[in-house]
Amino acid sequence: MYWVMGVLPFVLLLLGFPIFLLLLITSFVVLVGFFDMPMAVIHQNLFNSLNKYALLAVPFFIFAGDLMSRGGITVRLLRFVASLIGGFRGHIPLTSLGFAAIFGAISGTTTAGTAAVGTLTYPRMREAGYDEKFASGLITAGGALDNLIPPSIALIIYGIAANTSVIHLFAAGIGPGLVMATLFGIYIYWHSVRVGITEHGRFSFREFLMATREGLWSLGAIGIIFGGIYSGVFSPTEAAGVASIYAIFVTYFVYRETDMKQIFESGARAMYLTALIFIIVSVAGLYAWLLTVSGIAHATVELITSIHSDPWVVLLVINVILLFVGCFLDPASALIMLTPLLAPVANTLGIDPIHFGIIVVMNLTIGTFTPPFGLNIFVCQALFKTPSGTVYAGLIPFVIMAIIALMLVTYIPEISLSIMRLLT
């Protein structure tokens, strides 16, 4: 049975089956071949995997992010960020990175962040003289910050899978997200100096005031989400709903850059993307349940803890495993399947569950821009028709910076926990 659960999904993946289907087929084969259970357990577990209140936040955050992209909020946020960074060397790619970080605070999915940021900043980088390799690598890697900077759908899914506070995970994700963004920024500055691109730009206090005034309503979305959650006014799920209402109000009544047709189009797109995520979550939940009832989860805990190594060695092994898994699986699937296996290991070793959750999500975040199956890579290729080899080459420095950030976060827990303690 164990070899079927491990080998069959890999074989089906190589054959080109979509993730949800290969997990469903594997679960069905295992249930029929090795368990004497009624088939009703399949749809019961599929339903139970989605019967979580916190998952209601997913469609709302997707809808709010999409509508903000359509309704002028993202353009004004980009101008605000550009007004802050205008005096720095490499200010155009640095603006792209800063915009990705801020957009992560109003969105929740890496693919949405990659598309929104790339559409606005990729042409500007190319016009400034940055080559296709660097520009595509930055857009692809920068979009992944959405997975760490709250609100994050990946953190919501981990919180559900590990029965951990989503609010605490949101707060703990801020520090690691900023660390990764900082290392990306250092590389961007170094690259700009090395290639000798001189961009014409300077800081203007007048432009900063104008950008701030114009983008005040846009920045309000971030204030509502964070302020509402950490003041205790509403939960993350309620914050998602309020953010959606706020996005409709600002884009339709204040900026007047959307009409009812576009609002409904955003709603339809949110339903479509939510369905894609939820079908994976439901099937991965069934597979994770089989991992538990079959004894694989318990055996995994015993195997890892029997190594008798220091916790830092075990964390290193887990990081290597997760980085490898992230190259092939999307974060939602990996989180649902692996959290029941790895969370008990962290508890046994005495690792803070919030800190461990950030480590897991950060690993899988790196996977979103790591070849061959990083989701953000596909988005970048679809948007800009960039050859795979060019994107891969441009991503190498960002993957290195991200792994350095991962090591810092893994072995310095305060990067995650200090902001959490301050806000919660």
Side-chain angles (χ1 to χ4, degrees), residues 24-346:
L24 184 60
I25 292 173
T26 301
S27 301
F28 180 79
V29 170
V30 171
L31 277 171
V32 171
F34 301 96
F35 287 92
D36 184 19
M37 293 184 182
M39 289 297 100
V41 300
I42 293 180
H43 60 75
Q44 287 174 352
N45 278 279
L46 292 176
F47 174 79
N48 289 336
S49 298
L50 296 177
N51 190 25
K52 306 290 193 301
Y53 174 71
L55 282 177
L56 286 173
V58 173
F60 286 123
F61 278 131
I62 294 176
F63 171 77
D66 186 80
L67 188 57
M68 289 177 187
S69 297
R70 294 171 182 261
I73 288 180
T74 53
V75 174
R76 289 167 174 82
L77 285 176
L78 177 61
R79 183 185 178 187
F80 172 75
V81 176
S83 71
L84 288 173
I85 306 178
F88 288 92
R89 181 74 175 266
H91 69 90
I92 293 179
L94 285 173
T95 296
S96 177
L97 178 67
F99 177 47
I102 288 185
F103 189 78
I106 59 175
S107 179
T109 58
T110 63
T111 52
T114 301
V117 175
T119 302
L120 294 174
T121 64
Y122 181 86
R124 301 186 185 192
M125 284 190 281
R126 298 290 285 129
E127 291 173 2
Y130 291 95
D131 60 25
E132 190 178 33
K133 180 177 70 173
F134 172 80
S136 60
L138 170 57
I139 294 300
T140 305
L145 293 174
D146 276 21
N147 253 6
L148 288 171
I149 297 176
S152 162
I153 290 175
L155 291 175
I156 292 173
I157 293 175
Y158 180 86
I160 293 170
N163 195 26
T164 306
S165 169
V166 174
I167 293 178
H168 288 177
L169 287 169
F170 275 6
I174 297 173
L178 293 178
V179 168
M180 185 181 290
T182 299
L183 291 178
F184 284 176
I186 292 172
Y187 168 71
I188 290 169
Y189 182 85
W190 175 84
H191 176 83
S192 300
V193 173
R194 184 177 67 86
V195 299
I197 296 178
T198 303
E199 304 162 45
H200 299 287
R202 60 185 180 84
F203 177 79
S204 168
F205 188 70
R206 181 174 180 273
E207 168 63 15
F208 170 71
L209 289 179
M210 292 178 63
T212 302
R213 184 183 64 182
E214 186 178 345
L216 200 59
W217 283 100
S218 303
L219 294 170
I222 301 174
I224 285 177
I225 294 172
F226 279 89
I229 291 175
Y230 295 111
S231 66
V233 175
F234 36 69
S235 69
T237 302
E238 293 165 342
V242 172
S244 297
I245 295 173
Y246 184 83
I248 294 174
F249 174 76
V250 173
T251 59
Y252 187 81
F253 293 102
V254 179
Y255 293 155
R256 299 184 179 182
E257 294 190 16
T258 58
D259 52 28
M260 292 306 298
K261 178 182 177 182
Q262 291 174 310
I263 292 175
F264 280 111
E265 286 176 350
S266 288
R269 177 171 172 76
M271 288 190 292
Y272 173 74
L273 293 177
T274 300
L276 291 180
I277 294 172
F278 279 10
I279 194 171
I280 292 174
V281 169
S282 62
V283 178
L286 170 64
Y287 187 82
W289 174 77
L290 282 174
L291 290 176
T292 301
V293 298
S294 65
I296 294 179
H298 181 69
T300 302
V301 174
E302 289 187 340
L303 175 63
I304 296 178
T305 54
S306 67
I307 298 176
H308 298 299
S309 296
D310 293 332
W312 74 268
V313 177
V314 177
L315 284 175
L316 181 62
V317 172
I318 291 175
N319 279 336
V320 171
I321 294 172
L322 289 174
L323 286 173
F324 176 78
V325 170
C327 294
F328 298 94
L329 290 181
D330 64 280
S333 302
L335 286 170
I336 295 294
M337 289 190 299
L338 297 179
T339 299
L341 298 177
L342 298 178
V345 175

Side-chain angles (χ1 to χ4, degrees), residues 379-393:
V379 174
C380 184
Q381 290 175 319
L383 286 175
F384 311 117
K385 312 303 180 185
T386 309
S388 298
T390 302
V391 180
Y392 293 167

